Amino acid sequence: MFSWLEKNPFFFAVFVFVFIAYAGIVEILPDFADRARPTKDTKPYSVLELAGRHVYISDSCNACHSQLIRPFKSETDRYGAYSISGEFAYDRPFLWGSKRTGPDLARVGNYRTADWHENHMKDPVMMVPGSIMPAYKHMFSKNANIETAYAEALTVKKVFNVPYDTEGNPKLGTWEEAQEQVKAEAQAIVDQMKDQDVKDAFARGEIRQIVALIAYLNSLK
């Protein structure tokens, strides 16, 4: 067979192409599939984090902030480890973005605190001199939509098999159980905040948008 191929350069070239292509597929596909799987410690968003993600989208935070760190030294020096596909396994939709009027937020949960976000959303210039970001004071008076976030979590669990209620992942349970979990998560954030209106609202059973947004930003690591 090989002697015949040597005498027919066209078929020899085709054979070499097919052989190399097959070898490439065997080498690349398993690694590609592995990288697309959820990375270690990647968890679905909790209901409170999803509510904060909705706030993030509705206020167009993704128009000025990306969530995708490129594999360049200038990026990793500033923002941390570059992003890989498995980190976004539970993102619907992706919020990678392409414009950076503000910094990338893919790792913001590693270096900002609840009280920093609180002050920054109230008065960006106070926290970042020269910032052109507007203040988002309405988040301190509007309630987060926990019901819609719970509905989304149930939907992605049933339709996309997002592994809620499994070991190490957020629990959903009934609506009443989800409310208790949201309250516990929110309590930890409210305790770190100074805004008395937010604290008073929480005492009345209301969760402000700023609390949900902070929960979401804290999850970005």
Side-chain angles (χ1 to χ4, degrees):
M1 176 181 177
F2 289 107
S3 60
W4 180 84
L5 283 174
E6 290 175 356
K7 297 175 183 178
N8 295 272
F10 173 78
F11 292 104
F12 182 79
V14 170
F15 174 80
V16 170
F17 173 80
V18 171
F19 182 83
I20 294 175
Y22 176 78
I25 291 173
V26 169
E27 179 67 25
I28 293 171
L29 281 185
D31 184 64
F32 180 82
D34 185 63
R35 287 176 180 271
R37 295 190 185 100
T39 56
K40 182 182 179 182
D41 299 326
T42 296
K43 300 177 182 178
Y45 295 109
S46 69
V47 173
L48 183 62
E49 290 165 358
L50 277 176
R53 195 169 192 265
H54 295 166
V55 174
Y56 184 95
I57 293 172
S58 66
D59 279 275
S60 297
C61 299
N62 54 306
C64 293
H65 296 279
S66 62
Q67 287 186 33
L68 183 65
I69 303 172
R70 286 74 166 178
F72 305 121
K73 189 175 188 301
S74 58
E75 299 247 324
T76 56
D77 283 350
R78 181 176 182 184
Y79 299 119
Y82 64 83
S83 303
I84 58 177
S85 58
E87 295 179 46
F88 308 100
Y90 304 123
D91 281 30
R92 295 175 176 83
F94 300 121
L95 298 177
W96 294 331
S98 59
K99 182 174 176 58
R100 286 182 183 164
T101 302
D104 187 274
L105 299 180
R107 307 277 184 252
V108 70
N110 290 329
Y111 57 85
R112 296 301 189 199
T113 59
D115 62 325
W116 190 94
H117 287 305
E118 174 187 11
N119 293 324
H120 187 234
M121 300 307 288
K122 275 186 177 179
D123 187 358
V125 177
M126 179 181 70
M127 303 304 294
V128 183
S131 173
I132 62 172
M133 175 176 155
Y136 288 87
K137 295 181 180 179
H138 63 274
M139 292 183 183
F140 292 79
S141 58
K142 291 185 176 181
N143 288 339
N145 192 335
I146 305 301
E147 293 90 344
T148 297
Y150 178 70
E152 179 181 343
L154 281 180
T155 299
V156 297
K157 177 184 177 181
K158 294 177 179 179
V159 177
F160 298 105
N161 296 316
V162 174
Y164 285 104
D165 299 321
T166 56
E167 184 177 355
N169 287 326
K171 305 295 182 182
L172 284 182
T174 64
W175 167 236
E176 290 73 21
E177 291 170 335
Q179 285 180 296
E180 289 301 313
Q181 181 62 35
V182 166
K183 184 178 179 180
E185 289 182 51
Q187 180 74 69
I189 294 172
V190 172
D191 287 345
Q192 299 176 53
M193 298 178 66
K194 297 181 176 63
D195 190 285
Q196 193 58 46
D197 289 340
V198 172
K199 291 179 178 291
D200 291 342
F202 183 74
R204 297 192 301 269
E206 301 173 5
I207 297 176
R208 298 300 197 217
Q209 288 184 349
I210 185 63
V211 177
L213 179 67
I214 290 173
Y216 172 63
L217 293 175
N218 285 344
S219 74
L220 301 178
K221 299 181 179 180

